[in-house]
Amino acid sequence: MTNRITGISGPTVSASPKGLKMYDRVSLGDAQLMGEVVRLEKQRAVIQVYEDTRGLGVGEPVRSVGKPLTARLGPGLLNRMFDGLQRPLDGLYQEYGAFIQAGKQAAQPWLARTFSFIPLKRPGDETRRGESLGYVEEGPFKHYIPNMEADGRIVRIVEGEMGLDDPVAALSDGTQLYLQHDWPVRLPRPSRGKRARVEPLITGQRCIDFLFPLARGGTAIFPGGFGTGKTILEQSIAKFADVDVVVYVGCGERGNEMAEMLEEFSALDDPRTDRPLMTRTIVVVNTSNMPVAAREASIYTAVTMAEYYRDMGHNVLLLADSLSRWAEALREISSALEEMPGEEGYPTYLASRMAEFFARAGAVETADGKTGSLTMILSVSPPGGDFTEPVTQACLRTTGSLFLLDTNLAYRRHFPAINWFQSFSLYEGDVASYFNRQVSPQWGLHHRRCREILQKEQRLREVAEIVGTEGLQEADRMLMHVAERIRREFLMQNAYTEDAYSSPEQTNEKIGGILEPYFRDTNTPTHGASGTEPGPDYPRTSLGSKNARPEA
Amino acid sequence: MRLSVHSYSTVARIQGPLIFVERVMQARMGESVTIVFPDRRKLEGEVLKIEKNNVLIQIFGESRGLDMDQTSVEFTDAVKKAPLSRSLLDRVFDGSFQPLDGLPHFVPERWAPVSGLPINPIARARPQELIETGFSVIDGLNTLVKGQKLPIFSSAGLPSKEMVAGILQHAHAGAVNSVETGKAFVVVFVALGLAHHEHEFYRQALMRMRNRFVAFINLADDPVVERLLAPRFGLSVAEYLAFVHGEDVLVVITDMTNYCDALREVSTAREELPGRRGYPGYMYSDLASLYERAGRIKQMPGSITMLPLVTMPEDDITHPIPDLTGYITEGQIVFSRELHQQGLFPPVDVLPSLSRLMQRGIGEGRTRADHRDIANALYTHYAKGRDLRRLEVIVGREGMTDDDRLMLDFADAFEAEIVHQGTERRGIAETLDLGLGLLQRFSLESA
């Protein structure tokens, strides 16, 4: 029997509830829009619709697919671009042209491809759920094919060119195993547990690697008002981070930026493998004018694909731009569901949903006994640049590091505009000792001295505001001079030049080149350093207050 | 598909621009309806929400004169569409697409849904072709490219319309050294809640555009709800001209603040949960559904460039309207009251202004090889000078070093010579030469 639509409100639809299950995926109306059951009542089922509901009519049919919202996992995901529901955008483009229409189920063009499957098991072997059956070659590495169905004894396993829908193995109980499988996006993929081991994730951004280093499996957020360079920073990290796979989610952001990024990533080579960057990248994109409910789903689709590559023992980086748009989508759906609102209209489960999402990051021992990591770097777009708003605050409760982007630094073209007083990294201690061992024994010392100088400079600037730079002592002026060099030559990094990537060795050399002469000179004071002025690029925001407006 | 037009006179409630109709069979979300007044007048409307057989309708016009008994609502079984034809060029319409110029309505060649469809991100071509606006602050420092959306953040009483008129008059595509100056733009002009004195001003500016414009005019005393419709009509027309006829279209919308206020008005009438400052929580998505219609498409010749005008309430750039706009658009041109009071035109504060797509539009082969260096140097030194002005207030000019005093003079000269240009058109080469000259005069390197 078929259920019927009884009401429509924004991105939600009511239907007769009979036979529907919670979180079932459904197909709506004659246009076959995709939706998910999010609430069941005696008289009605409420469905969150992942597409534009315009044109949908009351009385049209609702059909259950009988499965929750899933992502299709298998070879062929890399070097592709998907929408929030994992529909391949290149397929949609070829099939339907430049504009995305609702309800179109694009043929998945990668289905036609075959992959050369090399088995690791033999008939008669036992296999457990999560274990690899074999692998296919995908780009620079082995793509392991897991058994995600059941424990059992293998009765048949093949070798050679296989399509995604051809069974590659069969178990004694009759279960067929394929190159690809579906996984519910809202369910974290299993692992044998988290690892505490700390390794740095090198981003190539001096300010991050040196002052606020990230660990593999860690989480970072960077909140910043518009024009503070969130997107440029995310994309620089996506280009240069030393990971195997990058999953980039453009969540409710600009279409033109995505076009720019795609073109650039196809043209640029990964410095480590000399292959185009796109071959290690998966892009999930739901621009701001694409349906809001699919925007909510997009980060789950992305994290599921990221976990899939983590389970092969890879280091994966998930970048999302921006989490605020996801939270707003959640708010929009919540208000259409007429739920009781919490702070600023966001649903009360905002923080817990976010914490659940953050918990999917981590370095793990995979079900197959390998070590993999999933690191998350997420941008946040606080309204009005006000960091006291609920999304930033909810993130702060769970994130491992914070790179706070400062409007005042951005107005002065100090990029990346990371505020060095308000940002933090909980991985700092562990990672610094790693760099001390691996890069230079001076790393920790430089780090301390750099911090100290920047802090002293802050106090001196306050003094200089009152007495003028002429009234400062020579030693203080020298300190302000070296602080300005740190800011201009070290912390600033132009994303459009060669300087866009700085290896830990280059970073160490650069800061050493600034600090060492200064400490040499101040121990044996020499004169002749010209009078310097306080530089203008100084962060002024504080975490507990509204962002300062640019002085008119 | 229903075969006949359904008509209902079961109006249950009328509230502001909204009508609730009962016992409706098979309504569609976004369905276009015709509301027939007791005096047989007709107005268009749209289905906003359906709950069983109760339907909520938004009227595009004044609800004055409606009653509960004789009013009827006709359901058309189709979503709202815009009539399109090349003969709409050089025409002026109101916010409901009715001619305002006294001429008869044109014969549509085709129809397109007013809300448009999202461009597949993979089909987008990267915007990188320069548009020369004739203003140094834009061309030199915040370069505009085809397919970009770059709003002007103005404040009450600042000369935003003069700047818009200047851009309309001067803008053309093309690089500095190319002999041909490129095709002129087709302008789609959408006015929302326009005051009468401004109307006259823009009318004259458009008259100079001969055959190259389409205007949708909603005046300050026209129905508020039409303001939600007019920009969508304008953008449907722009998409048609750009992607069917290959024109470069410049869409000017003034003023987005009035659009957002109309959105808030309808939202409160619907008794929705208000967000920041009473604006609805979906305002970001709603604004994006307009702004994101700008762009270029691979293998298609045309482009849609958007210049929305936003009046910042209380001169506050963190107000939800400029704030959400800035999160969607590719940069912003910000006006400063202080510069206006100093008599500078255009009074653009370059520090908070930004063009995100500038990097692709400038440099060798597009403008000039030294463009980026000149722009960066002007920025850095001006920012420094501006910062030192605050210090000057406290310690006085005497308490500062010679270097600092030089930067103060530089900032003054930058404002007077680069920012200020009056109404004359400045070519991009001239702008760059001026900038280079200024840097050389102050012996500042351009790096």
Side-chain angles (χ1 to χ4, degrees):
Chain A
M1 69 148 263
T2 318
N3 303 65
R4 298 272 166 196
I5 294 175
T6 57
I8 308 165
S9 166
T12 62
V13 159
S14 305
S16 46
K18 199 150 184 203
L20 294 178
K21 291 201 205 69
M22 268 309 257
Y23 299 112
D24 261 3
R25 205 167 74 205
V26 295
S27 152
L28 293 148
D30 303 325
Q32 301 188 12
L33 308 184
M34 211 197 275
E36 187 181 0
V37 179
V38 291
R39 184 191 289 171
L40 285 173
E41 293 165 11
K42 247 196 169 116
Q43 296 303 319
R44 61 169 193 162
V46 183
I47 296 156
Q48 168 179 342
V49 187
Y50 291 118
E51 301 183 72
D52 191 1
T53 51
R54 195 172 278 270
L56 204 61
V58 161
E60 290 190 26
V62 176
R63 293 185 195 87
S64 174
V65 178
K67 279 198 289 193
L69 186 68
T70 56
R72 179 152 290 187
L73 304 171
L77 294 173
L78 291 175
N79 198 5
R80 303 290 299 263
M81 192 165 176
F82 302 94
D83 77 352
L85 303 173
Q86 215 203 10
R87 286 183 293 206
L89 289 172
D90 48 359
L92 288 175
Y93 182 34
Q94 281 159 20
E95 201 90 353
Y96 305 106
F99 293 92
I100 298 179
Q101 290 163 44
K104 297 283 184 179
Q105 303 278 344
Q108 304 195 351
W110 74 72
L111 283 179
R113 262 194 73 186
T114 59
F115 294 87
S116 177
F117 178 72
I118 296 154
L120 292 170
K121 298 270 187 189
R122 278 188 308 219
D125 284 356
E126 290 293 322
T127 173
R128 284 211 322 278
R129 201 160 164 267
E131 237 177 20
S132 299
L133 297 166
Y135 62 88
V136 301
E137 300 284 348
E138 188 184 22
F141 49 74
K142 286 176 183 170
H143 182 122
Y144 291 97
I145 306 297
N147 160 21
M148 294 309 288
E149 293 295 329
D151 295 353
R153 197 167 55 80
I154 295 171
V155 292
R156 194 179 66 87
I157 190 158
V158 299
E159 181 167 358
E161 288 293 315
M162 302 299 297
L164 289 174
D165 283 331
D166 301 329
V168 293
L171 302 183
S172 55
D173 63 358
T175 310
Q176 299 279 351
L177 303 171
Y178 300 87
L179 280 187
Q180 65 179 8
H181 64 274
D182 290 339
W183 187 265
V185 296
R186 295 182 200 279
L187 187 68
R189 286 174 66 87
S191 71
R192 286 195 200 158
K194 297 252 158 109
R195 287 279 186 90
R197 198 170 52 110
V198 175
E199 264 180 33
L201 185 135
I202 293 155
T203 61
Q205 300 291 314
R206 284 189 290 271
C207 187
I208 296 178
D209 293 344
F210 185 74
L211 287 179
F212 311 107
L214 253 173
R216 283 187 171 155
T219 51
I221 59 163
F222 48 98
F226 63 84
T228 50
K230 285 186 300 294
T231 305
I232 302 275
L233 185 59
E234 285 246 330
Q235 295 187 0
S236 291
I237 295 173
K239 279 179 211 163
F240 301 118
D242 68 333
V243 292
D244 305 310
V245 173
V246 173
V247 181
Y248 188 98
V249 201
C251 179
E253 290 287 315
R254 308 175 180 91
N256 279 336
E257 269 174 7
M258 296 313 300
E260 203 170 3
M261 179 182 153
L262 280 183
E263 198 175 312
E264 224 169 277
F265 274 45
S266 307
L268 281 177
D269 284 344
D270 180 353
R272 273 165 296 271
T273 59
D274 288 327
R275 289 162 182 272
L277 271 174
M278 264 317 278
T279 57
R280 70 161 196 181
T281 311
I282 302 171
V283 180
V284 176
V285 48
N286 225 84
T287 54
S288 52
N289 57 339
M290 283 156 81
V292 71
R295 194 194 302 166
E296 190 270 332
S298 66
I299 65 164
Y300 293 104
T301 304
V303 77
T304 305
M305 290 192 273
E307 282 177 340
Y308 175 65
Y309 279 93
R310 174 205 68 186
D311 287 348
M312 290 174 215
H314 294 309
N315 292 308
V316 185
L317 175 62
L318 177 85
L319 290 153
D321 187 18
S322 113
L323 208 57
S324 296
R325 306 294 162 233
W326 169 79
E328 282 165 11
L330 203 65
R331 173 170 70 184
E332 220 167 287
I333 295 157
S334 164
S335 104
L337 293 172
E338 292 172 359
E339 291 172 339
M340 190 69 89
E343 220 176 327
E344 288 195 20
Y346 287 104
T348 46
Y349 48 78
L350 172 72
S352 61
R353 284 272 174 97
M354 218 174 250
E356 279 168 27
F357 178 72
F358 275 79
R360 292 176 79 165
V364 300
E365 186 182 343
T366 67
D368 207 14
K370 301 186 183 73
T371 304
S373 71
L374 169 51
T375 312
M376 290 183 184
I377 302 182
L378 313 160
S379 74
V380 177
S381 320
D386 172 11
F387 299 117
T388 60
E389 56 94 35
V391 181
T392 313
Q393 291 302 319
C395 287
L396 279 175
R397 283 156 55 180
T398 27
T399 183
S401 37
L402 164 76
F403 313 135
L404 193 129
L405 300 185
D406 190 321
T407 311
N408 278 300
L409 288 178
Y411 282 176
R412 289 171 170 77
R413 299 299 189 268
H414 176 119
F415 289 113
I418 298 173
N419 178 312
W420 48 89
F421 293 119
Q422 304 290 340
S423 304
F424 66 79
S425 166
L426 300 179
Y427 315 109
E428 195 180 305
D430 294 327
V431 174
S433 60
Y434 178 94
F435 280 132
N436 260 338
R437 285 195 311 275
Q438 300 288 328
V439 181
S440 158
Q442 300 286 306
W443 188 281
L445 178 70
H446 285 158
H447 183 107
R448 263 199 316 283
R449 284 179 158 175
C450 178
R451 277 281 175 86
E452 214 173 274
I453 288 171
L454 290 170
Q455 247 149 36
K456 277 189 187 152
E457 189 210 13
Q458 183 187 27
R459 286 201 295 276
L460 283 177
R461 284 179 58 92
E462 281 160 18
V463 177
E465 299 243 317
I466 304 163
V467 302
T469 21
E470 288 287 73
L472 287 180
Q473 293 189 339
E474 184 65 23
D476 291 342
R477 271 199 258 166
M478 281 180 69
L479 185 128
M480 293 188 74
H481 178 66
V482 76
E484 181 172 357
R485 282 194 66 197
I486 291 176
R487 283 188 277 107
R488 284 200 175 285
E489 295 167 31
F490 185 72
L491 296 176
M492 276 167 82
Q493 211 171 329
N494 189 334
Y496 298 102
T497 60
E498 286 288 300
D499 195 32
Y501 174 78
S502 172
S503 70
E505 288 74 21
Q506 289 169 324
T507 299
N508 184 58
E509 201 175 304
K510 198 150 202 170
I511 190 72
I514 296 171
L515 291 177
E516 274 152 24
Y518 170 73
F519 280 96
R520 212 169 40 235
D521 292 352
T522 43
N523 288 341
T524 51
T526 51
H527 290 279
S530 63
T532 55
E533 62 287 338
D537 2 64
Y538 202 66
R540 282 175 215 288
T541 41
S542 84
L543 203 57
S545 69
K546 269 209 144 196
N547 200 347
R549 285 178 48 210
E551 55 278 1
Chain B
M1 209 56 182
R2 296 192 300 264
L3 294 175
S4 61
V5 169
H6 284 198
S7 183
Y8 294 90
S9 5
T10 46
V11 175
R13 186 148 67 100
I14 305 168
Q15 182 182 341
L18 305 176
I19 309 187
F20 296 77
V21 188
E22 290 178 332
R23 302 198 296 278
V24 178
M25 303 284 286
Q26 297 189 332
R28 278 180 194 285
M29 190 66 171
E31 184 169 346
S32 187
V33 299
T34 309
I35 296 119
V36 185
F37 282 61
D39 58 5
R40 310 313 297 163
R41 239 177 347 121
K42 285 183 178 179
L43 266 184
E44 300 267 304
E46 187 185 68
V47 174
L48 284 187
K49 186 175 176 175
I50 312 167
E51 246 181 86
K52 296 210 174 112
N53 51 16
N54 301 312
V55 174
L56 170 61
I57 289 162
Q58 169 177 320
I59 318 164
F60 295 117
E62 282 285 343
S63 50
R64 186 173 302 122
L66 286 178
D67 74 350
M68 305 278 287
D69 305 322
Q70 295 176 56
T71 299
S72 68
V73 179
E74 292 169 3
F75 285 73
T76 60
D77 199 31
V79 296
K80 183 107 188 127
K81 291 200 161 119
L84 300 170
S85 158
R86 245 199 111 81
S87 51
L88 50 68
L89 279 179
D90 206 15
R91 297 290 307 268
V92 182
F93 303 94
D94 70 3
S96 297
F97 222 139
Q98 295 305 312
L100 276 183
D101 45 14
L103 299 170
H105 217 301
F106 60 92
V107 181
E109 174 204 310
R110 62 168 79 189
W111 296 78
V114 288
S115 50
L117 291 170
I119 301 176
N120 186 332
I122 224 165
R124 279 183 187 268
R126 188 166 78 178
Q128 53 190 6
E129 294 164 80
L130 172 87
I131 295 174
E132 206 183 53
T133 63
F135 285 105
S136 293
V137 279
I138 297 183
D139 297 346
L141 294 156
N142 295 290
T143 317
L144 176 70
V145 293
K146 270 192 211 168
Q148 183 172 11
K149 39 198 180 293
L150 188 67
I152 296 171
F153 288 179
S154 180
S155 302
L158 299 191
S160 51
K161 64 176 189 298
E162 285 78 2
M163 185 158 188
V164 168
I167 294 173
L168 291 185
Q169 198 180 338
H170 296 315
H172 64 69
V176 186
N177 297 321
S178 70
V179 188
E180 52 162 345
T181 46
K183 218 165 38 162
F185 286 92
V186 175
V187 170
V188 173
F189 181 78
V190 182
L192 309 170
L194 197 68
H196 281 270
H197 56 95
E198 291 173 327
H199 182 204
E200 190 48 34
F201 178 88
Y202 280 121
R203 207 176 58 81
Q204 290 183 1
L206 287 172
M207 292 227 310
R208 289 192 290 269
M209 304 263 336
R210 258 176 254 111
N211 284 331
R212 305 291 290 170
F213 77 91
V214 183
F216 293 89
I217 310 282
N218 168 281
L219 293 173
D221 50 2
D222 284 341
V224 168
V225 190
E226 269 186 4
R227 289 169 201 166
L228 300 179
L229 204 53
R232 294 187 161 82
F233 280 134
L235 285 161
S236 295
V237 168
E239 279 168 1
Y240 166 77
L241 292 171
F243 303 130
V244 176
H245 289 285
E247 299 280 2
D248 288 318
V249 185
L250 189 64
V251 180
V252 175
I253 306 179
T254 173
D255 175 331
M256 285 307 290
T257 306
N258 291 334
Y259 174 86
C260 293
D261 284 351
L263 197 67
R264 175 167 69 177
E265 204 174 314
V266 172
S267 170
T268 33
R270 288 177 69 177
E271 294 173 359
E272 288 172 333
L273 208 61
R276 265 204 310 156
R277 301 247 184 155
Y279 294 97
Y282 51 79
M283 191 157 87
Y284 177 84
S285 302
D286 191 277
L287 285 174
S289 73
L290 298 179
Y291 294 144
E292 277 291 323
R293 291 172 80 174
R296 290 170 63 229
I297 293 178
K298 284 177 189 161
Q299 280 126 33
M300 287 195 192
S303 66
I304 299 178
T305 309
M306 214 187 286
L307 280 177
L309 197 96
V310 174
T311 301
M312 298 184 283
E314 305 155 39
D315 298 8
D316 179 6
I317 200 170
T318 67
H319 184 280
I321 300 172
D323 190 49
L324 295 180
T325 297
Y327 273 123
I328 305 165
T329 55
E330 286 123 0
Q332 63 277 340
I333 300 294
V334 184
F335 274 26
S336 149
R337 194 172 292 282
E338 199 182 314
L339 293 178
H340 176 61
Q341 280 160 354
Q342 286 168 26
L344 306 188
F345 179 82
V348 172
D349 184 353
V350 298
L351 294 189
S353 298
L354 174 73
S355 166
R356 291 168 189 272
L357 303 178
M358 169 175 183
Q359 296 293 343
R360 305 290 162 199
I362 62 170
E364 186 83 67
R366 301 211 175 274
T367 55
R368 234 166 61 180
D370 57 354
H371 189 157
R372 191 165 298 140
D373 287 342
I374 294 175
N376 285 347
L378 288 174
Y379 254 118
T380 316
H381 297 306
Y382 177 61
K384 199 162 197 169
R386 276 274 296 268
D387 212 60
L388 287 167
R389 277 188 194 161
R390 285 185 312 115
L391 191 63
E392 190 192 10
V393 173
I394 305 166
V395 302
R397 215 178 147 85
E398 292 71 36
M400 304 175 82
T401 60
D402 286 345
D403 283 356
D404 288 356
R405 284 195 283 265
L406 186 74
M407 294 320 299
L408 285 174
D409 294 340
F410 175 82
D412 291 340
F414 174 82
E415 286 171 0
E417 294 166 32
I418 309 279
V419 176
H420 180 65
Q421 70 177 79
T423 50
E424 62 169 309
R425 178 179 207 286
R426 240 187 237 159
I428 194 154
E430 197 187 336
T431 294
L432 293 177
D433 289 341
L434 270 177
L436 197 59
L438 186 68
L439 290 168
Q440 277 161 356
R441 204 163 81 226
F442 281 82
S443 313
L444 298 165
E445 82 288 10
S446 58

